[in-house]
Structure formats: C-alpha cells, structure tokens
C-alpha cells in the first residue's frame, strides 16, 4: 500500500490496496494518512453494500443516514447507507438526494450536536462530465488566517443551520425561518481541535443561515463572508474527478466539501456512509 499527498492543504491517495483484503496494519496506516491529510482517495475498489458498511465501521460507530429528500429509507436493509443521486425511481421520485445541481461548500450534518466525524462516498454510476467533488483543508485554512482574524474568532461559536441540505433542498419536515437565529441548528466553536491530533481547524459548517453567536446580524454576516472567502481559496482545495469504483473519505472536522453540477439527464449514483462523532466538536 502506498500513500501519496494530493495537495499540501488536503487529501492523499492510497494506492495498491484492495479494501476487501486490507490487513489491520494497513488500516492503521490508512488512519494515520487520514489524520495527516483530512481526505483520502481509494481507486479501483469493488465494494458490496456489506463490504462498504464493514469498512466504514472500522473508523467508528456508524450514523444512520439522514432523512432523504424523498422521505424514504435509502437502501433496504442498510439504514446507514445514504444515496446521493439524481436518478428517478419507478415512483417518479429521485432515488437519492442532492439532485444534479451544485452542492455548495459544507461539512456534513453539522446542525447536530455531535456531527459525524467522517463521511465517505463510493461511486457506482457517473455522468460523462461534471459532478466533481471538491475538498478544502480547514487546518491549513486556519493556519493561513491573518492574525487579526484569528483573534476576532477566538472563543466564538457559529450556529449551523439544519433547514437546508447542501443541494439547497429543504429537509423533510423542517419549517423555514429566514432569521438564522431562529432556524433549527446547533452551536459549535469556530475553531475546533481535531479529536486525535489536536490540530486546530476552522469549523464553518455551511454558509446559508449561519450565525456568529453574540454578534449583530450584519456583523455576523460580514465576518462569515470573510471567513468563507478565505477558507475556500484555491490554495486550500482539491477537486476530485470521479471514476467508478472510487471511494473518497473525508474528515468532517478538518475539511469542507462541495460538488460541481452535472447534466440532469445523465445518471450519477453514489453511496455514502457517515461515522458518528465520538464527541461534540471541541474548542481548541
Ligand atoms: C455528500 C455530498 C457530494 C457529491 O454526500 O455529503 O456532499 O459529490 N456529496 O455527491
Ligand atoms: Mn456533504
């Protein structure tokens, strides 16, 4: 098994490893690479639903998949597998979530008190173009902040909205409130320490309906705009072009991700699992 850095800020590719045959020693090296790089890419995998769930479970207890836009349980018999897809099922509804549009920068399920530590996405069917998934490294982004901005956010918390998913769709059963202070969500420290390495990272969640605790709304908006502009600069990001059989794992505490749109008439089917947060995100 080999580990190759993809960019200095985020991501490593693990090659010469068949996940179905992975040893305990190899898994330890996978976790070490993951802690160092925030995101991992494995190509040419061949994972059954059972093997996908078994691999994800080695990282920790799994979180049940969030409610899908179609209100259904994603994969019968696999409550942990979330389907990300635009494909229309026999009932005329998409079989998965997020459609074919852009998924804006976010980290998964940060509206929970204990958001998942990690998510992983496995490519089953892909459109001929578009649908790239991007990662941004939030440890590097934190380290690259100007000192005055570091000071400004020290000790502060952000409210993470739970109304809309990253595709811009309202989550089933949630009422829309235009004031971020009134929408549903959870507060987390803006700067979080990685649970294993202690390395600080910006923890921004998602921009829409976010709010910096204690500030007037216009000040909160201005500070958030400044932080988001910084955190998604090209020097911190990596764009992944998918092939069928790719598995991308990201640390939700140390990265953001987004997705490019693709042709709505093309088919894209991805399976996702999410690893439960062992703790709430910790302040540094
Ligand atoms: C996700 C997600 C992006 C993609 O599954 O959490 O943001 O590329 N997916 O489908
Ligand atoms: Mn996501």
């Amino acid at each position: 098994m080999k580990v190759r850095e993809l960019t200095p800020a985020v991501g490593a590719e693990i090659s010469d490893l068949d996940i179905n045959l992975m040893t305990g020693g190899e898994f330890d090296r996978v976790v070490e690479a993951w802690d160092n790089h925030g995101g991992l890419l494995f190509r040419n995998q061949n994972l059954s639903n059972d093997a996908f769930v078994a691999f994800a479970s080695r990282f920790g207890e799994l979180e049940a998949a969030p409610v899908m836009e179609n209100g259904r349980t994603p994969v019968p018999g696999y409550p942990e597998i979330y389907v990300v897809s635009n494909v229309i099922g026999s009932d005329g509804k998409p079989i998965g979530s997020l459609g074919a549009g852009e998924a804006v920068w976010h980290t998964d399920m940060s509206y929970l008190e204990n958001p998942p530590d990690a998510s992983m996405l496995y490519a089953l069917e892909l459109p001929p173009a578009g649908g790239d998934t991007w990662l941004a490294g939030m440890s590097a982004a934190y380290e690259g902040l100007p000192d005055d901005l570091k000071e400004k956010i020290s000790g502060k918390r952000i409210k993470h909205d739970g109304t809309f998913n990253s595709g811009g769709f309202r989550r089933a059963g949630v009422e829309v409130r235009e004031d971020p202070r009134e929408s549903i969500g959870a507060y987390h420290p803006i700067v979080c320490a990685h649970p294993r390495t202690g390395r600080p990272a910006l923890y921004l969640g998602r921009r829409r309906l976010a709010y910096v605790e204690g500030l007037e709304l216009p000040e909160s908006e201005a500070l958030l705009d400044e932080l988001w502009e910084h955190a998604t600069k090209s020097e911190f990001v990596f764009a992944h072009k998918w092939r069928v059989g790719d598995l991308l794992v990201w640390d939700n505490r140390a990265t953001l991700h987004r997705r490019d749109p693709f042709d709505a008439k093309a088919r894209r089917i991805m399976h996702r699992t999410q690893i439960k947060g062992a703790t709430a995100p910790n302040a540094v």
Side-chain angles (χ1 to χ4, degrees):
M1 155 188 159
K2 293 200 195 85
V3 179
R4 180 177 68 89
E5 178 180 286
L6 292 167
T7 72
V10 67
E13 179 175 349
I14 307 283
S15 57
D16 296 342
L17 176 71
D18 178 346
I19 287 173
N20 288 317
L21 306 174
M22 185 178 60
T23 66
E26 284 170 333
F27 183 68
D28 292 345
R29 288 180 60 208
V30 165
V31 172
E32 188 189 316
W34 186 51
D35 284 347
N36 288 336
H37 299 280
L40 295 179
L41 167 65
F42 304 78
R43 297 243 194 221
N44 302 314
Q45 299 300 317
N46 185 2
L47 299 172
S48 64
N49 288 337
D50 282 321
F52 183 38
V53 167
F55 175 66
S57 303
R58 294 180 78 156
F59 289 83
E61 198 184 331
L62 298 190
E63 183 90 69
V67 181
M68 308 257 298
E69 289 153 18
N70 59 19
R72 283 197 312 222
T73 312
V75 184
Y78 297 91
E80 309 90 350
I81 298 182
Y82 182 65
V83 180
V84 176
S85 185
N86 64 319
V87 171
I88 305 296
S90 51
D91 62 355
K93 291 183 183 177
I95 61 167
S97 294
L98 302 185
E102 179 184 359
V104 296
W105 283 113
H106 67 284
T107 192
D108 291 327
M109 297 163 80
S110 61
Y111 51 88
L112 300 178
E113 292 299 330
N114 265 24
D117 275 343
S119 306
M120 50 185 89
L121 209 54
Y122 180 55
L124 295 169
E125 223 178 303
L126 293 169
D132 297 359
T133 302
W134 300 51
L135 300 179
M138 291 300 102
S139 303
Y142 175 74
E143 285 151 16
L145 276 179
D147 285 341
D148 63 323
L149 212 48
K150 275 189 186 156
E151 235 159 77
K152 213 166 170 180
I153 60 176
S154 165
K156 288 208 164 49
R157 300 197 303 170
I158 288 179
K159 181 163 179 218
H160 295 240
D161 177 62
T163 314
F164 297 100
N165 71 18
S166 59
F169 299 94
R170 188 169 58 89
R171 291 179 200 280
V174 179
E175 192 192 327
V176 177
R177 299 293 195 98
E178 294 304 334
D179 186 325
R181 292 164 298 191
E182 291 170 5
S183 67
I184 63 151
Y187 285 91
H188 298 297
I190 300 185
V191 186
C192 290
H194 189 276
R196 278 185 302 277
T197 65
R199 192 174 174 199
L202 272 180
Y203 190 63
L204 300 180
R206 62 196 64 209
R207 178 64 187 87
R208 191 170 184 184
L209 290 177
Y211 169 66
V212 183
E213 187 177 32
L215 299 189
E216 295 299 328
L217 209 45
E219 280 178 78
S220 162
E221 292 289 310
L223 179 54
L224 288 169
D225 284 344
E226 199 175 359
L227 289 171
W228 277 94
E229 207 262 320
H230 170 82
T232 56
K233 279 185 183 158
S234 59
E235 66 205 84
F236 305 128
V237 311
F238 162 70
H240 175 55
K241 279 205 184 309
W242 289 95
R243 291 185 216 146
V244 169
D246 284 357
L247 175 70
L248 190 67
V249 181
W250 60 81
D251 186 331
N252 281 308
R253 304 277 166 88
T255 60
L256 294 170
H257 58 281
R258 65 171 289 279
R259 180 191 74 195
D260 287 334
F262 56 95
D263 178 1
K265 293 188 293 299
R267 291 165 61 94
R268 187 177 190 266
I269 305 178
M270 319 291 271
H271 276 183
R272 192 185 89 183
T273 49
Q274 42 289 311
I275 289 81
K276 258 193 188 153
T279 61
N282 288 315
V284 173

